[in-house]
Amino acid sequence: MWAIFNDRFHYDRRPRQAIAFVVEAKPEPQNYPRDLVEAAVAAGKAQETKPPGKRLKATETSKSNGRL
């Protein structure tokens, strides 16, 4: 799930799993598990967003520019 994080966010899955996350704030969208993003949105630390657009590979960009 994609989100833009406004502030540093700590998320801990214990006791279900021995996993903890620390997400740094960045202006670009970041992809994390759904439960983490939902908790960050509920805490006011992030806004859910759509995935970024598909990035073209070097071979695709050269074809679109008419180069071979």
Side-chain angles (χ1 to χ4, degrees):
M1 187 170 200
W2 291 86
I4 296 175
F5 288 80
N6 306 326
D7 200 5
R8 187 177 206 188
F9 184 67
H10 298 264
Y11 184 70
D12 196 341
R13 287 183 170 169
R14 287 177 281 188
R16 293 179 303 154
Q17 294 177 325
I19 299 173
F21 297 88
V22 177
V23 181
E24 297 295 334
K26 292 183 182 177
E28 54 274 336
Q30 299 180 63
N31 189 12
Y32 282 99
R34 180 175 299 280
D35 59 331
L36 183 149
V37 172
E38 288 174 349
V41 169
K45 304 277 184 164
Q47 292 87 35
E48 186 179 340
T49 187
K50 293 181 180 182
K54 180 182 173 187
R55 295 182 185 175
L56 297 176
K57 295 179 183 175
T59 57
E60 292 174 340
T61 56
S62 63
K63 288 178 186 176
S64 65
N65 291 336
R67 294 186 224 152
L68 296 175

